[in-house]
């Protein structure tokens, strides 16, 4: 495993940590504002906080004697596509949280780790056998961790979450395809802006946001906007470079483990033996995916 792959794996793990803690912020924020309002605010905040980064890194590049000319057309196309996929995934998840349990939403959303290798087969990226085993182990681990009652009774929100998982999987594959061709920070900024614009349209058409409710939700909105959106999704785009998308999806799925551990360490929520076993199985799946062939 190269140094670049090790570094990028750490970046994806950090993204999973941020996303895992953000799940609480999303739930709290929904007590004050509606789904599309929440998505609009977090997306625009995420886009704005990256502007200084783009300026700084752009200045660094301009000091180099030789620099490759950036293809802005590819960057805009990729940003538009990623923004649409992110808009779809984020809002489906946000709406579903209102109608189902945290455990089930976490489990069904993270099923993108199964969908990613399936998509890979259709585009000629057949995963290695060890990755298939790792994915199956991760699904079992997530089930033990998230489905505390051991049941998976179908609900209307489940369809939204499954579609959300498909959108996240397509987003991962899109980032994998374009990651070597575009600047990761610029791509991240553009996709958030697109997601924010689309969310704002539906917010104005379907919801009635108020300044007082937005102020009441300032803490969860800021956390998800700055860290979960601006930082974590940028870490994803940068971290996916040079990594197998299946391995990347496995690393990012650790957000469900982090969420449970954060509740245990910070909120004092006790983890059962079943949940601890789920965490152990998921970590084993990640380690298996990192082992050489």
């Amino acid at each position: 495993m190269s140094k670049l792959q090790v570094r990028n794996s750490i970046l994806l793990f950090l993204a999973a940590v941020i996303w895992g803690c953000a799940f609480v912020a999303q739930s709290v924020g929904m007590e004050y504002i509606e789904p599309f309002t929440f998505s609009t605010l977090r997306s625009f905040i995420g886009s704005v906080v990256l502007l200084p980064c783009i300026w700084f890194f752009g200045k660094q590049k301009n000091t180099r004697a030789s620099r490759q000319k950036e293809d802005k057309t590819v960057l805009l196309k990729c940003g538009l596509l990623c923004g649409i996929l992110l808009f779809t995934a984020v809002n489906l998840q946000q709406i579903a949280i209102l109608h189902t349990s945290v455990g089930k939403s976490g489990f069904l959303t993270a099923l993108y780790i199964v969908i990613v290798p399936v998509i890979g087969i259709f585009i000629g990226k057949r995963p290695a056998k060890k990755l298939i085993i790792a994915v199956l182990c991760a699904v079992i681990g997530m089930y033990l961790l998230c489905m505390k009652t051991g049941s998976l009774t179908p609900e209307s929100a489940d369809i939204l979450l499954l579609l959300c998982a498909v959108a996240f999987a397509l987003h991962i594959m899109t980032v994998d395809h374009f990651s070597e061709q575009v600047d990761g920070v610029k791509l991240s900024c553009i996709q958030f802006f697109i997601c924010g614009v689309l969310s704002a349209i539906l917010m104005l058409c379907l919801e009635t946001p108020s300044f007082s409710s937005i102020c009441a939700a300032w803490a969860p909105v800021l956390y998800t906007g700055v860290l979960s959106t601006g930082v974590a999704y940028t870490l994803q785009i940068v971290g996916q470079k040079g990594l197998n998308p299946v391995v990347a999806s496995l690393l990012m799925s650790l957000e469900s483990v982090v969420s449970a551990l954060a509740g245990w360490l910070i909120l004092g929520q006790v983890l059962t033996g079943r949940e601890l076993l789920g965490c152990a199985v998921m970590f084993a799946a990640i380690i298996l995916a990192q082992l050489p062939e």
Side-chain angles (χ1 to χ4, degrees):
M1 196 174 187
S2 67
K3 289 183 179 179
L4 177 63
Q5 290 176 319
V6 172
R7 188 206 70 174
N8 289 355
S9 296
I10 294 173
L11 294 181
L12 291 180
F13 174 73
L14 291 175
V17 171
I18 296 172
W19 286 331
C21 297
F23 208 89
V24 176
Q26 285 180 259
S27 300
V28 173
M30 294 292 287
E31 296 176 3
Y32 303 99
I33 54 180
E34 296 172 283
F36 292 115
T37 303
F38 192 93
S39 298
T40 299
L41 294 172
R42 68 177 289 186
S43 298
F44 281 138
I45 291 173
S47 182
V48 169
V49 297
L50 289 179
L51 292 177
C53 298
I54 293 175
W55 174 82
F56 175 77
F57 289 121
K59 192 174 181 181
Q60 295 293 105
K61 288 181 181 179
N62 288 334
T63 60
R64 298 175 184 172
S66 61
R67 96 175 171 272
Q68 293 181 341
K69 190 175 181 180
E70 187 176 49
D71 193 333
K72 294 182 179 179
T73 303
V74 174
L75 177 63
L76 290 175
K77 286 181 179 179
C78 182
L80 178 62
L81 181 55
C82 286
I84 293 173
L85 291 171
L86 195 62
F87 157 78
T88 304
V90 166
N91 284 293
L92 285 174
Q93 184 188 62
Q94 203 69 39
I95 295 171
I97 289 175
L98 293 171
H99 306 290
T100 191
S101 66
V102 170
K104 182 178 285 190
S105 61
F107 172 71
L108 291 175
T109 298
L111 284 178
Y112 59 74
I113 66 172
V114 177
I115 301 171
V116 166
V118 172
I119 295 174
I121 293 174
F122 285 102
I123 62 175
K125 292 186 176 182
R126 187 177 182 86
K129 290 182 179 179
K130 67 159 188 173
L131 292 183
I132 296 176
I133 297 172
V135 167
L136 294 175
C137 289
V139 172
I140 294 171
M142 281 191 304
Y143 182 83
L144 293 172
L145 175 66
C146 301
M147 304 306 295
K148 297 176 176 58
T149 62
S151 63
L152 193 61
T153 306
E155 297 177 356
S156 57
D158 296 349
I159 298 176
L160 298 180
L161 290 168
L162 288 173
L163 292 174
C164 167
V166 172
F168 273 130
L170 291 172
H171 183 267
I172 291 171
M173 297 303 291
T174 303
V175 171
D176 174 69
H177 179 73
F178 288 102
S179 61
E180 299 294 339
Q181 304 176 44
V182 298
D183 181 277
V185 181
K186 290 182 180 178
L187 170 59
S188 197
C189 182
I190 293 172
Q191 72 169 359
F192 299 146
F193 179 76
I194 298 298
C195 181
V197 170
L198 295 176
S199 298
I201 293 172
L202 292 182
M203 174 190 73
L204 295 174
C205 293
L206 304 175
E207 299 176 352
T208 53
S210 66
F211 182 73
S212 59
S213 61
I214 292 173
C215 290
W218 70 270
V221 167
L222 273 183
Y223 179 89
T224 54
V226 176
L227 293 178
S228 179
T229 303
V231 175
Y233 279 106
T234 304
L235 290 176
Q236 176 206 347
I237 291 174
V238 176
Q240 273 194 239
K241 290 184 178 181
L243 282 183
N244 187 305
V246 178
V247 175
S249 66
L250 284 168
L251 285 165
M252 289 184 285
S253 70
L254 281 175
E255 63 180 299
S256 57
V257 176
V258 173
S259 178
L261 292 177
W264 179 31
L265 296 173
I266 300 172
L267 303 178
Q269 298 174 347
V270 179
L271 287 177
T272 65
R274 174 194 179 93
E275 292 168 320
L276 288 172
L277 177 60
C279 291
V281 172
M282 285 198 69
F283 275 118
I286 302 301
I287 293 172
L288 174 61
Q290 301 292 338
L291 294 176
E293 294 291 342

